[in-house]
């Protein structure tokens, strides 16, 4: 396949980043990866190779380090676009260590935006989050839904980053930006060569579900069954990580082919379906045949009651649609968990 050009993927060994590197290869791009491995490991690169047969260029670089980043760009002067994943993402941790979050997430973005024009790079796709909508009054949420005050430093960094990128496009008419607002990414590559690698006790629902099913955790706690939802548990829009990764390829095609007249665009990336925590547990049990012991626990501070996406803009403009079923996605998460356990036994 013809090489469609080099794409810098920051945070390319992370959960969504690694799945995106695979899809970039599949689409004929040449992804180059930088990551400081703060929340991932170098073995992910082997997983990418196992799936695609291609080994991406990898450098251990922290995007906060302007000089290292500049040296990297000097070496790779032919990068066509950047997909910027590298960021910290744990809501609770961000409340405890706000300055770490502001430095990691904001300084990195500013460094990239300062360096890109120096090297003639005009295109950036940014990982944003549905967290910017808070608890929306009207569901599903469209890209026009109001942005609500952030409830955590993590959320603030996503809002600030969006503002920084918007301001940058006003000042630099050559810059093209796509902001992708992710809903809740779950699952793993169907090969189980790559997946989510949570550090310590998981915060997010799916890794907690699979670890409980595996017996690593005793009991899943369902945070609240007294919400104003059909079964009382919170509702989210859970999107398959491979589907999500494919949306990045569509966004890259769009900026490189200059398909839009606007130099900044925003897209929701979700399935358009709201699914409750209890539905996730039931569907997981049905799809895998494995029980997930759980108990109802008090609400988790700061949780949104319900949110799901109107993804029709991405469907129409990016030509992208979430395709995988929830059952298959949950199966893929379980297959990945089993693989991790088999690996741990070997070691
Ligand atoms: C939140 C943010 C999201 C951010 C993500 C990063 C919102 C709406 N979403 O996702 O933008 O990218 O954190 O980590 O702010 N749950 C349990 N038991 C558990 C774990 C979770 O019941 O052990 C429930 C939660 O109450 C929630 C759902 O599962 O209703 C999903 O939780 P989680 O996976 O942590 O994601 P969000 O909080 O939606």
């Amino acid at each position: 396949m013809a090489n469609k050009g080099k794409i810098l993927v920051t945070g390319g060994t992370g959960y969504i980043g690694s799945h995106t590197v695979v899809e970039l290869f599949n689409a004929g791009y040449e992804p180059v990866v930088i990551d400081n491995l703060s929340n991932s490991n170098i073995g992910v690169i082997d997983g990418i190779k196992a799936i695609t047969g291609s080994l991406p260029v990898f450098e251990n670089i922290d995007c906060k380090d302007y000089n290292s980043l500049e040296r990297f760009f000097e070496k790779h002067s032919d990068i066509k676009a950047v997909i910027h994943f590298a960021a910290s993402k744990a809501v609770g941790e961000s409340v405890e260590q706000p300055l770490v979050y502001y430095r990691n997430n904001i300084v990195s973005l500013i460094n990239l935006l300062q360096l890109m024009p120096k090297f003639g790079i005009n295109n950036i796709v940014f990982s944003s989050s549905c967290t910017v909508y808070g608890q929306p009054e009207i569901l599903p949420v469209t890209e026009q839904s109001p942005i609500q005050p952030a409830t955590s430093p993590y959320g603030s960094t996503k809002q600030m980053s969006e503002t920084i990128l918007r301001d940058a496009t006003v000042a630099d008419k050559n810059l093209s930006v796509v902001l992708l607002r992710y809903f809740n990414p779950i699952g793993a590559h169907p090969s189980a060569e790559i997946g989510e690698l949570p550090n310590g006790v998981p915060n997010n629902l799916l890794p907690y579900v699979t670890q409980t099913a595996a017996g690593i955790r005793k009991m899943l706690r369902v945070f609240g069954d007294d919400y104003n939802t059909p079964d009382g548990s919170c509702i989210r829009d859970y999107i398959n990580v491979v589907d999500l990764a494919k949306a990045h390829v569509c966004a890259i095609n769009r900026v490189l082919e200059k398909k839009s007249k606007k130099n900044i665009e925003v897209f929701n990336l979700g399935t358009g379906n709201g699914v409750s925590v209890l539905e996730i547990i039931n569907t997981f049990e049905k799809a895998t045949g494995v029980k997930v012991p759980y108990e109802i626990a008090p609400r988790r501070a700061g949780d949104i009651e319900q949110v799901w996406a109107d993804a029709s803009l991405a469907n129409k403009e990016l030509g992208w649609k979430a395709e995988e079923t929830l059952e298959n996605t949950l199966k893929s998460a379980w297959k990945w968990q089993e693989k991790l356990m088999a690996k741990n036994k070997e070691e």
Side-chain angles (χ1 to χ4, degrees):
M1 199 188 288
N3 184 340
K4 292 207 240 165
K6 262 189 203 173
I7 310 294
L8 171 59
V9 185
T10 76
T13 55
Y15 175 42
I16 308 170
S18 57
H19 289 81
T20 300
V21 169
V22 167
E23 295 310 321
L24 286 167
F25 273 130
N26 288 345
Y29 287 104
E30 184 189 347
V32 291
V33 172
I34 60 176
D35 203 303
N36 67 358
L37 302 178
S38 60
N39 196 24
S40 59
N41 70 61
I42 190 66
V44 172
I45 295 290
D46 299 329
I48 293 169
K49 169 95 196 288
I51 297 167
T52 63
S54 305
L55 199 61
V57 166
F58 170 81
E59 284 199 36
N60 186 334
I61 288 176
D62 188 324
C63 295
K64 295 194 295 298
D65 180 349
Y66 185 92
N67 292 333
S68 303
L69 209 49
E70 185 168 37
R71 280 197 297 275
F72 181 85
F73 279 120
E74 279 163 2
K75 263 199 273 175
H76 298 274
S77 54
D78 47 352
I79 289 170
K80 294 212 161 123
V82 176
I83 309 182
H84 182 42
F85 290 104
S88 304
K89 61 160 190 177
V91 175
E93 185 183 64
S94 81
V95 175
E96 283 153 26
Q97 303 176 38
L99 302 184
V100 170
Y101 270 65
Y102 288 114
R103 189 186 289 278
N104 276 351
N105 295 4
I106 304 297
V107 173
S108 298
L109 176 64
I110 293 173
N111 283 346
L112 278 170
L113 287 174
Q114 284 188 317
L115 284 165
M116 282 166 51
K118 279 194 174 185
F119 294 91
I121 307 165
N122 296 320
N123 304 302
I124 181 164
V125 173
F126 179 72
S127 301
S128 191
S129 164
C130 70
T131 193
V132 300
Y133 299 119
Q135 176 58 66
E137 275 174 28
I138 301 168
L139 287 166
V141 274
T142 71
E143 291 78 359
Q144 265 68 54
S145 299
I147 301 294
Q148 308 265 12
T151 53
S152 71
Y154 160 76
S156 292
T157 66
K158 290 298 169 192
Q159 295 194 356
M160 282 179 191
S161 298
E162 288 200 0
T163 304
I164 289 168
L165 283 155
R166 210 173 286 283
D167 291 346
T169 58
V170 173
D172 178 356
K173 298 289 174 227
N174 292 321
L175 187 64
S176 290
V177 173
V178 175
L179 305 175
L180 298 178
R181 291 182 182 152
Y182 310 150
F183 283 69
N184 288 56
I186 59 167
H189 194 271
S191 66
E193 293 290 349
I194 55 172
E196 194 170 5
L197 281 169
N199 253 339
V201 183
N203 294 306
N204 293 112
L205 179 62
L206 244 292
Y208 214 106
V209 166
T210 57
Q211 290 192 10
T212 308
I216 300 168
R217 311 274 159 212
K218 248 176 63 203
M219 188 81 79
L220 169 72
R221 289 181 304 152
V222 173
F223 296 135
D225 69 346
D226 55 354
Y227 283 100
N228 186 22
T229 59
D231 66 21
S233 64
C234 289
I235 292 177
R236 296 288 184 274
D237 186 333
Y238 294 95
I239 169 147
N240 179 283
V241 67
V242 176
D243 277 341
L244 186 66
K246 288 177 180 166
H248 293 75
V249 176
C250 298
I252 285 292
N253 291 340
R254 189 168 175 86
V255 288
L256 292 184
E257 292 164 18
K258 298 273 170 239
K259 280 190 186 151
S260 171
K261 288 206 179 76
K262 299 179 198 151
N263 68 341
I264 181 158
E265 293 188 290
V266 188
F267 296 105
N268 283 343
L269 297 181
T271 64
N273 299 318
V275 175
S276 75
V277 176
L278 292 172
E279 284 172 327
I280 287 283
I281 297 170
N282 289 335
T283 313
F284 180 88
E285 289 184 341
K286 266 195 212 131
T288 62
V290 185
K291 280 269 162 225
V292 182
Y294 73 88
E295 62 187 4
I296 305 298
R299 292 181 176 195
R300 183 172 72 174
D303 254 340
I304 304 296
E305 180 175 273
Q306 43 189 326
V307 61
W308 66 92
D310 178 332
S312 51
L313 190 69
N315 300 162
K316 182 167 163 250
E317 299 295 332
L318 293 180
W320 168 89
K321 204 170 173 9
E323 277 168 353
E324 196 50 277
T325 62
L326 183 60
E327 285 76 8
N328 281 343
T329 303
L330 294 173
K331 271 188 198 161
S332 73
W334 179 238
K335 189 172 169 191
W336 169 244
Q337 179 68 52
E338 289 185 305
K339 170 96 180 259
L340 283 179
M341 288 189 299
K343 241 193 203 163
N344 284 346
K345 248 192 206 152
E346 272 170 32
E347 278 162 13

